[in-house]
Amino acid sequence: QVQLVESGGGLVQAGGSLRLSCAASGRTFSTDAMGWFRQASGKEREFVATIKWSTGRTYYADSLKGRFTISRDSAKNTMYLQMNSLKPEDTAVYYCAVSQIGSWPPSFPGEFGYWGQGTQVTVSS
């Protein structure tokens, strides 16, 4: 089992920045990649970015390239999402997740077996 805890969400004005964190514990040695997804109210869960744990290789949703940056600190078993130039349409619950299946890049919810509880990000206009 892998446990994931997100933090760093909150309320920010449009144009502002936030950094989300996702701390992993448990059987983390089997982690192949970690990712961020988001889900706005009334919408489906949307892929944001993913990072290969061993190499730091990254992959982003096309619409978010340039504004969001995913990174990880292997020593701390923690993944981050730096979000800049935030827009009201970025408002959502942000989830981190772990993939252990080895495909690259994992970008569909079904490719991730463990999920955090989510953290709310609200961007005001």
Side-chain angles (χ1 to χ4, degrees):
Q1 295 288 335
V2 176
Q3 293 78 43
L4 302 171
V5 178
E6 301 102 332
S7 60
L11 174 64
V12 64
Q13 289 189 332
S17 298
L18 280 176
R19 188 176 83 152
L20 305 183
S21 299
C22 174
S25 61
R27 297 174 65 86
T28 58
F29 59 85
S30 57
T31 296
D32 180 69
M34 291 185 69
W36 289 99
F37 287 76
R38 67 184 185 182
Q39 189 165 17
S41 180
K43 296 188 176 181
E44 294 187 352
R45 194 161 295 192
E46 175 189 20
F47 170 73
V48 173
T50 189
I51 187 165
K52 193 163 182 69
W53 201 249
S54 59
T55 64
R57 185 182 182 186
T58 59
Y59 178 77
Y60 295 90
D62 286 342
S63 61
L64 299 175
K65 285 180 182 176
R67 293 196 301 123
F68 288 15
T69 302
I70 190 172
S71 62
R72 93 293 193 227
D73 184 332
S74 300
K76 295 182 178 180
N77 279 334
T78 300
M79 176 180 65
Y80 305 97
L81 184 68
Q82 178 67 43
M83 305 185 293
N84 298 327
S85 303
L86 283 163
K87 306 174 181 179
E89 51 264 42
D90 294 318
T91 295
V93 177
Y94 284 71
Y95 298 90
C96 67
V98 162
S99 176
Q100 299 176 327
I101 65 174
S103 62
W104 180 261
S107 60
F108 295 94
E111 296 179 286
F112 293 81
Y114 297 97
W115 294 82
Q117 81 287 351
T119 186
Q120 176 70 47
V121 171
T122 303
V123 185
S124 63
S125 58

